Amino acid sequence: MRRKIIAGNWKMNMNFSEADDLLALIIADIDDNAKPVDVDVVICPPAVYLELATDMASGKAVLIGAQNVSSFENGAYTGEISAAMLESLEVDYAIVGHSERRKYFNESNEELTSKVKLLLAHGITPIFCCGELLDDRNDDRHMEVVSNQIGDTIFHLAGEEFQKLVIAYEPVWAIGTGKTATPGQAQEMHAFIRALIAKKYSRETADQCRILYGGSCNASNAAELFSKQDVDGGLIGGASLNADDFALIIRSA
Ligand code: PEP
């Protein structure tokens, strides 16, 4: 059985003391109420708070993820943060290819492939994001778009590498908009992605791959989305900035 993941993407929000407070509340809630045993909770704060977060999460049932990583190994790349640096901070996960990074930072498939490979080489689990624009869905091209995003990047991995990553299906039209994919739309795409993996690698690899849903997932709609057979949890943006909402989402998994 696949363990579910609830991952909070804090994006570029909060100052240091706000981040400290929110993480303390999330950890306290998990300590007090215990999260479901088959759920992994991951918090992805801004990079400058990663050291704080890995310190606070040490020994707790919370894992820490980065929101991005450099596509370069090391060297003269001012402002970049390498996979080796994340590893040295004991970061467990890293988001790769979030639609905001594809849109505002023009991340290419080559860069995304390099990021995934570097993360895997440093023992960090990539959460690889894919998802179509609204126009793609309206033109009935959503399957083709997602298939290309995956085929041009993570399908370059060898089978044993692929088995270590997590996929997040995030329809771009649902991110931060309050418009969620219906549970049926999410299930249809997740099953499609799983079928692609089975065809490329094996049925076993497809069955063990965790595929998260992201896009305006909140405390009210999470349970129905997560009840779908191929939805293995969520990548949560806005609703992860509120400890009470995030706790409810964790308990919906
Ligand atoms: C995200 O940032 O990955 C996300 C899904 O955001 P939101 O939940 O706010 O739509």
Side-chain angles (χ1 to χ4, degrees), residues 84-130:
M85 292 172 189
L86 297 180
E87 180 186 20
S88 71
L89 287 182
E90 300 183 358
V91 165
D92 306 287
Y93 286 81
I95 299 171
V96 175
H98 191 283
S99 67
E100 289 153 12
R101 295 213 56 88
R102 292 178 192 255
K103 177 174 174 189
Y104 301 121
F105 303 96
N106 300 316
E107 290 192 338
S108 66
N109 288 332
E110 290 72 25
E111 284 172 291
L112 300 183
T113 306
S114 169
K115 288 177 184 215
V116 167
K117 289 198 168 181
L118 285 168
L119 288 169
L120 290 172
H122 287 278
I124 298 167
T125 304
I127 301 177
F128 179 82
C129 301
C130 57

mmCIF file of all heavy atoms in Angstrom, residues 84-130:
data_model
loop_
_atom_site.group_PDB
_atom_site.id
_atom_site.type_symbol
_atom_site.label_atom_id
_atom_site.label_comp_id
_atom_site.label_asym_id
_atom_site.label_seq_id
_atom_site.Cartn_x
_atom_site.Cartn_y
_atom_site.Cartn_z
ATOM 1 N N ALA A 84 23.679 19.358 -2.927
ATOM 2 C CA ALA A 84 24.616 18.988 -1.861
ATOM 3 C C ALA A 84 24.373 19.844 -0.613
ATOM 4 O O ALA A 84 24.452 19.347 0.520
ATOM 5 C CB ALA A 84 26.052 19.154 -2.348
ATOM 6 N N MET A 85 24.072 21.124 -0.821
ATOM 7 C CA MET A 85 23.793 22.000 0.334
ATOM 8 C C MET A 85 22.524 21.543 1.050
ATOM 9 O O MET A 85 22.464 21.496 2.280
ATOM 10 C CB MET A 85 23.627 23.448 -0.132
ATOM 11 C CG MET A 85 24.899 24.065 -0.645
ATOM 12 S SD MET A 85 24.523 25.676 -1.374
ATOM 13 C CE MET A 85 26.086 26.052 -2.123
ATOM 14 N N LEU A 86 21.506 21.195 0.263
ATOM 15 C CA LEU A 86 20.258 20.715 0.879
ATOM 16 C C LEU A 86 20.514 19.434 1.660
ATOM 17 O O LEU A 86 20.019 19.245 2.774
ATOM 18 C CB LEU A 86 19.191 20.477 -0.197
ATOM 19 C CG LEU A 86 18.736 21.709 -0.992
ATOM 20 C CD1 LEU A 86 17.682 21.318 -2.022
ATOM 21 C CD2 LEU A 86 18.195 22.801 -0.070
ATOM 22 N N GLU A 87 21.329 18.559 1.074
ATOM 23 C CA GLU A 87 21.649 17.293 1.756
ATOM 24 C C GLU A 87 22.348 17.587 3.090
ATOM 25 O O GLU A 87 22.048 16.953 4.105
ATOM 26 C CB GLU A 87 22.548 16.433 0.860
ATOM 27 C CG GLU A 87 22.914 15.105 1.491
ATOM 28 C CD GLU A 87 23.931 14.317 0.663
ATOM 29 O OE1 GLU A 87 24.640 14.906 -0.174
ATOM 30 O OE2 GLU A 87 24.015 13.094 0.881
ATOM 31 N N SER A 88 23.260 18.577 3.077
ATOM 32 C CA SER A 88 24.014 18.860 4.303
ATOM 33 C C SER A 88 23.113 19.440 5.396
ATOM 34 O O SER A 88 23.462 19.429 6.569
ATOM 35 C CB SER A 88 25.189 19.794 4.011
ATOM 36 O OG SER A 88 24.721 21.093 3.713
ATOM 37 N N LEU A 89 21.947 19.966 5.008
ATOM 38 C CA LEU A 89 20.979 20.464 6.004
ATOM 39 C C LEU A 89 19.965 19.381 6.379
ATOM 40 O O LEU A 89 19.003 19.642 7.096
ATOM 41 C CB LEU A 89 20.212 21.669 5.445
ATOM 42 C CG LEU A 89 20.953 22.991 5.326
ATOM 43 C CD1 LEU A 89 20.006 24.072 4.806
ATOM 44 C CD2 LEU A 89 21.524 23.412 6.668
ATOM 45 N N GLU A 90 20.146 18.183 5.818
ATOM 46 C CA GLU A 90 19.239 17.052 6.078
ATOM 47 C C GLU A 90 17.820 17.330 5.593
ATOM 48 O O GLU A 90 16.840 16.990 6.233
ATOM 49 C CB GLU A 90 19.280 16.660 7.556
ATOM 50 C CG GLU A 90 20.682 16.240 7.945
ATOM 51 C CD GLU A 90 20.821 15.760 9.385
ATOM 52 O OE1 GLU A 90 19.823 15.783 10.127
ATOM 53 O OE2 GLU A 90 21.932 15.368 9.731
ATOM 54 N N VAL A 91 17.752 17.964 4.438
ATOM 55 C CA VAL A 91 16.460 18.177 3.775
ATOM 56 C C VAL A 91 16.051 16.853 3.115
ATOM 57 O O VAL A 91 16.882 16.159 2.536
ATOM 58 C CB VAL A 91 16.607 19.310 2.726
ATOM 59 C CG1 VAL A 91 15.446 19.346 1.767
ATOM 60 C CG2 VAL A 91 16.768 20.643 3.446
ATOM 61 N N ASP A 92 14.775 16.491 3.234
ATOM 62 C CA ASP A 92 14.322 15.183 2.748
ATOM 63 C C ASP A 92 13.758 15.236 1.331
ATOM 64 O O ASP A 92 13.880 14.275 0.577
ATOM 65 C CB ASP A 92 13.214 14.651 3.682
ATOM 66 C CG ASP A 92 13.645 14.633 5.128
ATOM 67 O OD1 ASP A 92 14.461 13.774 5.483
ATOM 68 O OD2 ASP A 92 13.186 15.499 5.907
ATOM 69 N N TYR A 93 13.062 16.312 1.006
ATOM 70 C CA TYR A 93 12.346 16.419 -0.269
ATOM 71 C C TYR A 93 12.701 17.738 -0.953
ATOM 72 O O TYR A 93 13.139 18.683 -0.300
ATOM 73 C CB TYR A 93 10.817 16.426 -0.040
ATOM 74 C CG TYR A 93 10.220 15.098 0.322
ATOM 75 C CD1 TYR A 93 10.268 14.613 1.623
ATOM 76 C CD2 TYR A 93 9.567 14.319 -0.639
ATOM 77 C CE1 TYR A 93 9.707 13.381 1.967
ATOM 78 C CE2 TYR A 93 9.006 13.096 -0.310
ATOM 79 C CZ TYR A 93 9.080 12.643 0.988
ATOM 80 O OH TYR A 93 8.523 11.434 1.308
ATOM 81 N N ALA A 94 12.445 17.829 -2.248
ATOM 82 C CA ALA A 94 12.528 19.125 -2.932
ATOM 83 C C ALA A 94 11.510 19.150 -4.071
ATOM 84 O O ALA A 94 11.390 18.175 -4.831
ATOM 85 C CB ALA A 94 13.922 19.380 -3.481
ATOM 86 N N ILE A 95 10.779 20.243 -4.152
ATOM 87 C CA ILE A 95 9.827 20.431 -5.252
ATOM 88 C C ILE A 95 10.624 20.788 -6.504
ATOM 89 O O ILE A 95 11.554 21.594 -6.445
ATOM 90 C CB ILE A 95 8.836 21.573 -4.906
ATOM 91 C CG1 ILE A 95 8.039 21.235 -3.637
ATOM 92 C CG2 ILE A 95 7.898 21.844 -6.081
ATOM 93 C CD1 ILE A 95 7.204 22.396 -3.095
ATOM 94 N N VAL A 96 10.258 20.189 -7.620
ATOM 95 C CA VAL A 96 10.930 20.483 -8.898
ATOM 96 C C VAL A 96 9.863 20.776 -9.953
ATOM 97 O O VAL A 96 8.894 20.020 -10.086
ATOM 98 C CB VAL A 96 11.784 19.278 -9.375
ATOM 99 C CG1 VAL A 96 12.372 19.550 -10.758
ATOM 100 C CG2 VAL A 96 12.897 18.980 -8.389
ATOM 101 N N GLY A 97 10.064 21.879 -10.671
ATOM 102 C CA GLY A 97 9.177 22.145 -11.804
ATOM 103 C C GLY A 97 7.805 22.650 -11.422
ATOM 104 O O GLY A 97 6.828 22.453 -12.169
ATOM 105 N N HIS A 98 7.711 23.312 -10.266
ATOM 106 C CA HIS A 98 6.419 23.932 -9.928
ATOM 107 C C HIS A 98 6.030 24.886 -11.060
ATOM 108 O O HIS A 98 6.890 25.542 -11.660
ATOM 109 C CB HIS A 98 6.543 24.691 -8.608
ATOM 110 C CG HIS A 98 5.228 25.122 -8.048
ATOM 111 N ND1 HIS A 98 4.547 26.200 -8.549
ATOM 112 C CD2 HIS A 98 4.460 24.604 -7.063
ATOM 113 C CE1 HIS A 98 3.411 26.338 -7.876
ATOM 114 N NE2 HIS A 98 3.332 25.382 -6.966
ATOM 115 N N SER A 99 4.747 24.996 -11.336
ATOM 116 C CA SER A 99 4.322 25.808 -12.493
ATOM 117 C C SER A 99 4.742 27.266 -12.346
ATOM 118 O O SER A 99 4.973 27.955 -13.345
ATOM 119 C CB SER A 99 2.810 25.712 -12.690
ATOM 120 O OG SER A 99 2.162 26.329 -11.613
ATOM 121 N N GLU A 100 4.854 27.744 -11.095
ATOM 122 C CA GLU A 100 5.304 29.133 -10.916
ATOM 123 C C GLU A 100 6.752 29.291 -11.356
ATOM 124 O O GLU A 100 7.136 30.331 -11.892
ATOM 125 C CB GLU A 100 5.107 29.555 -9.447
ATOM 126 C CG GLU A 100 3.622 29.722 -9.115
ATOM 127 C CD GLU A 100 3.252 29.497 -7.670
ATOM 128 O OE1 GLU A 100 4.150 29.418 -6.812
ATOM 129 O OE2 GLU A 100 2.044 29.361 -7.384
ATOM 130 N N ARG A 101 7.555 28.276 -11.143
ATOM 131 C CA ARG A 101 8.950 28.330 -11.597
ATOM 132 C C ARG A 101 9.024 28.157 -13.122
ATOM 133 O O ARG A 101 9.822 28.800 -13.783
ATOM 134 C CB ARG A 101 9.799 27.286 -10.878
ATOM 135 C CG ARG A 101 9.894 27.574 -9.367
ATOM 136 C CD ARG A 101 11.216 27.160 -8.815
ATOM 137 N NE ARG A 101 12.308 27.774 -9.506
ATOM 138 C CZ ARG A 101 12.841 28.973 -9.203
ATOM 139 N NH1 ARG A 101 12.365 29.684 -8.198
ATOM 140 N NH2 ARG A 101 13.858 29.438 -9.895
ATOM 141 N N ARG A 102 8.179 27.296 -13.659
ATOM 142 C CA ARG A 102 8.172 27.156 -15.129
ATOM 143 C C ARG A 102 7.765 28.487 -15.764
ATOM 144 O O ARG A 102 8.335 28.917 -16.758
ATOM 145 C CB ARG A 102 7.184 26.060 -15.552
ATOM 146 C CG ARG A 102 7.588 24.638 -15.149
ATOM 147 C CD ARG A 102 6.484 23.681 -15.596
ATOM 148 N NE ARG A 102 6.589 22.352 -15.045
ATOM 149 C CZ ARG A 102 7.006 21.288 -15.727
ATOM 150 N NH1 ARG A 102 7.385 21.395 -16.966
ATOM 151 N NH2 ARG A 102 7.029 20.096 -15.142
ATOM 152 N N LYS A 103 6.758 29.144 -15.165
ATOM 153 C CA LYS A 103 6.216 30.361 -15.773
ATOM 154 C C LYS A 103 7.133 31.570 -15.567
ATOM 155 O O LYS A 103 7.461 32.279 -16.516
ATOM 156 C CB LYS A 103 4.840 30.650 -15.168
ATOM 157 C CG LYS A 103 4.209 31.910 -15.671
ATOM 158 C CD LYS A 103 2.795 32.054 -15.141
ATOM 159 C CE LYS A 103 2.210 33.399 -15.523
ATOM 160 N NZ LYS A 103 0.943 33.652 -14.844
ATOM 161 N N TYR A 104 7.536 31.824 -14.314
ATOM 162 C CA TYR A 104 8.271 33.067 -14.033
ATOM 163 C C TYR A 104 9.778 32.933 -14.224
ATOM 164 O O TYR A 104 10.474 33.925 -14.348
ATOM 165 C CB TYR A 104 7.988 33.535 -12.599
ATOM 166 C CG TYR A 104 6.524 33.801 -12.336
ATOM 167 C CD1 TYR A 104 5.841 33.118 -11.339
ATOM 168 C CD2 TYR A 104 5.828 34.734 -13.107
ATOM 169 C CE1 TYR A 104 4.494 33.351 -11.098
ATOM 170 C CE2 TYR A 104 4.473 34.970 -12.878
ATOM 171 C CZ TYR A 104 3.816 34.271 -11.876
ATOM 172 O OH TYR A 104 2.484 34.498 -11.645
ATOM 173 N N PHE A 105 10.292 31.712 -14.196
ATOM 174 C CA PHE A 105 11.746 31.529 -14.299
ATOM 175 C C PHE A 105 12.117 30.674 -15.509
ATOM 176 O O PHE A 105 13.258 30.247 -15.632
ATOM 177 C CB PHE A 105 12.300 30.937 -12.990
ATOM 178 C CG PHE A 105 11.951 31.802 -11.799
ATOM 179 C CD1 PHE A 105 10.849 31.518 -11.006
ATOM 180 C CD2 PHE A 105 12.695 32.941 -11.523
ATOM 181 C CE1 PHE A 105 10.492 32.339 -9.946
ATOM 182 C CE2 PHE A 105 12.346 33.776 -10.454
ATOM 183 C CZ PHE A 105 11.251 33.469 -9.663
ATOM 184 N N ASN A 106 11.132 30.453 -16.375
ATOM 185 C CA ASN A 106 11.359 29.762 -17.654
ATOM 186 C C ASN A 106 12.150 28.471 -17.525
ATOM 187 O O ASN A 106 13.072 28.223 -18.300
ATOM 188 C CB ASN A 106 12.098 30.689 -18.629
ATOM 189 C CG ASN A 106 11.291 31.928 -18.899
ATOM 190 O OD1 ASN A 106 10.078 31.838 -19.105
ATOM 191 N ND2 ASN A 106 11.924 33.085 -18.868
ATOM 192 N N GLU A 107 11.839 27.678 -16.539
ATOM 193 C CA GLU A 107 12.622 26.448 -16.348
ATOM 194 C C GLU A 107 12.384 25.491 -17.521
ATOM 195 O O GLU A 107 11.240 25.199 -17.875
ATOM 196 C CB GLU A 107 12.247 25.785 -15.025
ATOM 197 C CG GLU A 107 12.744 26.613 -13.840
ATOM 198 C CD GLU A 107 12.658 25.873 -12.517
ATOM 199 O OE1 GLU A 107 11.876 24.912 -12.402
ATOM 200 O OE2 GLU A 107 13.388 26.273 -11.593
ATOM 201 N N SER A 108 13.453 25.009 -18.091
ATOM 202 C CA SER A 108 13.338 24.128 -19.259
ATOM 203 C C SER A 108 13.324 22.662 -18.811
ATOM 204 O O SER A 108 13.707 22.337 -17.680
ATOM 205 C CB SER A 108 14.534 24.337 -20.185
ATOM 206 O OG SER A 108 15.709 23.908 -19.515
ATOM 207 N N ASN A 109 12.931 21.800 -19.736
ATOM 208 C CA ASN A 109 12.935 20.364 -19.429
ATOM 209 C C ASN A 109 14.339 19.879 -19.083
ATOM 210 O O ASN A 109 14.508 19.029 -18.211
ATOM 211 C CB ASN A 109 12.393 19.572 -20.618
ATOM 212 C CG ASN A 109 10.902 19.763 -20.760
ATOM 213 O OD1 ASN A 109 10.206 20.005 -19.781
ATOM 214 N ND2 ASN A 109 10.402 19.664 -21.995
ATOM 215 N N GLU A 110 15.353 20.419 -19.759
ATOM 216 C CA GLU A 110 16.740 20.008 -19.477
ATOM 217 C C GLU A 110 17.109 20.367 -18.039
ATOM 218 O O GLU A 110 17.711 19.567 -17.323
ATOM 219 C CB GLU A 110 17.728 20.697 -20.432
ATOM 220 C CG GLU A 110 17.664 20.244 -21.877
ATOM 221 C CD GLU A 110 16.408 20.737 -22.609
ATOM 222 O OE1 GLU A 110 15.831 21.773 -22.203
ATOM 223 O OE2 GLU A 110 15.985 20.070 -23.564
ATOM 224 N N GLU A 111 16.748 21.590 -17.640
ATOM 225 C CA GLU A 111 17.060 21.998 -16.259
ATOM 226 C C GLU A 111 16.329 21.110 -15.252
ATOM 227 O O GLU A 111 16.906 20.705 -14.243
ATOM 228 C CB GLU A 111 16.627 23.448 -16.026
ATOM 229 C CG GLU A 111 17.541 24.484 -16.634
ATOM 230 C CD GLU A 111 16.927 25.862 -16.508
ATOM 231 O OE1 GLU A 111 15.914 26.131 -17.180
ATOM 232 O OE2 GLU A 111 17.455 26.671 -15.747
ATOM 233 N N LEU A 112 15.074 20.828 -15.537
ATOM 234 C CA LEU A 112 14.296 20.016 -14.591
ATOM 235 C C LEU A 112 14.886 18.619 -14.478
ATOM 236 O O LEU A 112 14.975 18.055 -13.384
ATOM 237 C CB LEU A 112 12.822 19.940 -15.021
ATOM 238 C CG LEU A 112 12.090 21.284 -15.107
ATOM 239 C CD1 LEU A 112 10.627 21.084 -15.455
ATOM 240 C CD2 LEU A 112 12.204 22.048 -13.792
ATOM 241 N N THR A 113 15.300 18.063 -15.607
ATOM 242 C CA THR A 113 15.900 16.729 -15.586
ATOM 243 C C THR A 113 17.181 16.749 -14.752
ATOM 244 O O THR A 113 17.422 15.852 -13.932
ATOM 245 C CB THR A 113 16.215 16.263 -17.025
ATOM 246 O OG1 THR A 113 15.019 16.359 -17.795
ATOM 247 C CG2 THR A 113 16.733 14.844 -17.059
ATOM 248 N N SER A 114 17.983 17.795 -14.942
ATOM 249 C CA SER A 114 19.226 17.897 -14.181
ATOM 250 C C SER A 114 18.934 18.047 -12.684
ATOM 251 O O SER A 114 19.594 17.421 -11.844
ATOM 252 C CB SER A 114 20.014 19.101 -14.721
ATOM 253 O OG SER A 114 21.066 19.389 -13.882
ATOM 254 N N LYS A 115 17.956 18.854 -12.337
ATOM 255 C CA LYS A 115 17.601 19.035 -10.923
ATOM 256 C C LYS A 115 17.207 17.704 -10.291
ATOM 257 O O LYS A 115 17.645 17.364 -9.186
ATOM 258 C CB LYS A 115 16.429 20.022 -10.791
ATOM 259 C CG LYS A 115 16.829 21.453 -11.082
ATOM 260 C CD LYS A 115 15.638 22.392 -11.009
ATOM 261 C CE LYS A 115 16.067 23.795 -11.411
ATOM 262 N NZ LYS A 115 15.390 24.854 -10.702
ATOM 263 N N VAL A 116 16.352 16.955 -10.997
ATOM 264 C CA VAL A 116 15.894 15.668 -10.461
ATOM 265 C C VAL A 116 17.084 14.732 -10.258
ATOM 266 O O VAL A 116 17.215 14.090 -9.211
ATOM 267 C CB VAL A 116 14.839 15.046 -11.409
ATOM 268 C CG1 VAL A 116 14.584 13.591 -11.057
ATOM 269 C CG2 VAL A 116 13.535 15.835 -11.342
ATOM 270 N N LYS A 117 17.966 14.681 -11.235
ATOM 271 C CA LYS A 117 19.117 13.759 -11.127
ATOM 272 C C LYS A 117 20.036 14.157 -9.967
ATOM 273 O O LYS A 117 20.518 13.301 -9.227
ATOM 274 C CB LYS A 117 19.890 13.739 -12.445
ATOM 275 C CG LYS A 117 19.108 13.032 -13.526
ATOM 276 C CD LYS A 117 19.971 12.615 -14.683
ATOM 277 C CE LYS A 117 19.145 11.665 -15.543
ATOM 278 N NZ LYS A 117 19.779 11.125 -16.678
ATOM 279 N N LEU A 118 20.293 15.463 -9.829
ATOM 280 C CA LEU A 118 21.170 15.908 -8.733
ATOM 281 C C LEU A 118 20.540 15.605 -7.374
ATOM 282 O O LEU A 118 21.215 15.159 -6.449
ATOM 283 C CB LEU A 118 21.462 17.407 -8.866
ATOM 284 C CG LEU A 118 22.461 17.763 -9.967
ATOM 285 C CD1 LEU A 118 22.465 19.268 -10.225
ATOM 286 C CD2 LEU A 118 23.873 17.288 -9.586
ATOM 287 N N LEU A 119 19.253 15.834 -7.261
ATOM 288 C CA LEU A 119 18.581 15.534 -5.988
ATOM 289 C C LEU A 119 18.711 14.054 -5.653
ATOM 290 O O LEU A 119 19.055 13.674 -4.535
ATOM 291 C CB LEU A 119 17.095 15.927 -6.056
ATOM 292 C CG LEU A 119 16.810 17.429 -6.050
ATOM 293 C CD1 LEU A 119 15.352 17.703 -6.397
ATOM 294 C CD2 LEU A 119 17.158 18.038 -4.683
ATOM 295 N N LEU A 120 18.429 13.215 -6.631
ATOM 296 C CA LEU A 120 18.502 11.766 -6.380
ATOM 297 C C LEU A 120 19.928 11.365 -5.997
ATOM 298 O O LEU A 120 20.128 10.542 -5.095
ATOM 299 C CB LEU A 120 18.030 10.994 -7.613
ATOM 300 C CG LEU A 120 16.530 11.104 -7.903
ATOM 301 C CD1 LEU A 120 16.196 10.459 -9.248
ATOM 302 C CD2 LEU A 120 15.694 10.466 -6.780
ATOM 303 N N ALA A 121 20.901 11.972 -6.655
ATOM 304 C CA ALA A 121 22.305 11.641 -6.336
ATOM 305 C C ALA A 121 22.645 12.045 -4.905
ATOM 306 O O ALA A 121 23.570 11.497 -4.309
ATOM 307 C CB ALA A 121 23.235 12.350 -7.315
ATOM 308 N N HIS A 122 21.911 13.009 -4.354
ATOM 309 C CA HIS A 122 22.182 13.461 -2.992
ATOM 310 C C HIS A 122 21.144 12.939 -1.994
ATOM 311 O O HIS A 122 21.031 13.466 -0.884
ATOM 312 C CB HIS A 122 22.271 14.990 -2.962
ATOM 313 C CG HIS A 122 23.544 15.480 -3.590
ATOM 314 N ND1 HIS A 122 24.747 15.516 -2.921
ATOM 315 C CD2 HIS A 122 23.817 15.865 -4.852
ATOM 316 C CE1 HIS A 122 25.692 15.943 -3.730
ATOM 317 N NE2 HIS A 122 25.169 16.161 -4.913
ATOM 318 N N GLY A 123 20.405 11.926 -2.395
ATOM 319 C CA GLY A 123 19.506 11.253 -1.454
ATOM 320 C C GLY A 123 18.283 12.063 -1.073
ATOM 321 O O GLY A 123 17.680 11.847 -0.022
ATOM 322 N N ILE A 124 17.900 13.018 -1.914
ATOM 323 C CA ILE A 124 16.725 13.863 -1.637
ATOM 324 C C ILE A 124 15.619 13.463 -2.604
ATOM 325 O O ILE A 124 15.863 13.265 -3.797
ATOM 326 C CB ILE A 124 17.083 15.353 -1.805
ATOM 327 C CG1 ILE A 124 18.169 15.727 -0.787
ATOM 328 C CG2 ILE A 124 15.853 16.245 -1.651
ATOM 329 C CD1 ILE A 124 18.824 17.063 -1.041
ATOM 330 N N THR A 125 14.410 13.340 -2.095
ATOM 331 C CA THR A 125 13.286 12.904 -2.936
ATOM 332 C C THR A 125 12.705 14.084 -3.704
ATOM 333 O O THR A 125 12.194 15.030 -3.093
ATOM 334 C CB THR A 125 12.168 12.282 -2.072
ATOM 335 O OG1 THR A 125 12.727 11.208 -1.318
ATOM 336 C CG2 THR A 125 11.020 11.774 -2.921
ATOM 337 N N PRO A 126 12.756 14.040 -5.042
ATOM 338 C CA PRO A 126 12.113 15.118 -5.809
ATOM 339 C C PRO A 126 10.583 14.964 -5.796
ATOM 340 O O PRO A 126 10.072 13.849 -5.892
ATOM 341 C CB PRO A 126 12.636 14.907 -7.244
ATOM 342 C CG PRO A 126 13.721 13.894 -7.149
ATOM 343 C CD PRO A 126 13.442 13.082 -5.916
ATOM 344 N N ILE A 127 9.889 16.075 -5.662
ATOM 345 C CA ILE A 127 8.433 16.085 -5.901
ATOM 346 C C ILE A 127 8.281 16.789 -7.249
ATOM 347 O O ILE A 127 8.372 18.016 -7.339
ATOM 348 C CB ILE A 127 7.671 16.842 -4.793
ATOM 349 C CG1 ILE A 127 7.930 16.203 -3.424
ATOM 350 C CG2 ILE A 127 6.167 16.867 -5.102
ATOM 351 C CD1 ILE A 127 7.277 16.935 -2.246
ATOM 352 N N PHE A 128 8.113 16.002 -8.287
ATOM 353 C CA PHE A 128 8.119 16.544 -9.649
ATOM 354 C C PHE A 128 6.704 16.999 -10.029
ATOM 355 O O PHE A 128 5.758 16.195 -10.035
ATOM 356 C CB PHE A 128 8.606 15.474 -10.636
ATOM 357 C CG PHE A 128 8.604 15.971 -12.052
ATOM 358 C CD1 PHE A 128 9.654 16.730 -12.540
ATOM 359 C CD2 PHE A 128 7.521 15.712 -12.890
ATOM 360 C CE1 PHE A 128 9.637 17.231 -13.833
ATOM 361 C CE2 PHE A 128 7.494 16.203 -14.186
ATOM 362 C CZ PHE A 128 8.548 16.954 -14.663
ATOM 363 N N CYS A 129 6.565 18.289 -10.351
ATOM 364 C CA CYS A 129 5.237 18.841 -10.654
ATOM 365 C C CYS A 129 4.955 18.836 -12.154
ATOM 366 O O CYS A 129 5.840 19.136 -12.965
ATOM 367 C CB CYS A 129 5.145 20.285 -10.171
ATOM 368 S SG CYS A 129 5.412 20.474 -8.412
ATOM 369 N N CYS A 130 3.733 18.531 -12.488
ATOM 370 C CA CYS A 130 3.283 18.613 -13.877
ATOM 371 C C CYS A 130 1.825 19.075 -13.858
ATOM 372 O O CYS A 130 1.163 19.003 -12.823
ATOM 373 C CB CYS A 130 3.403 17.253 -14.571
ATOM 374 S SG CYS A 130 2.510 15.918 -13.744
#
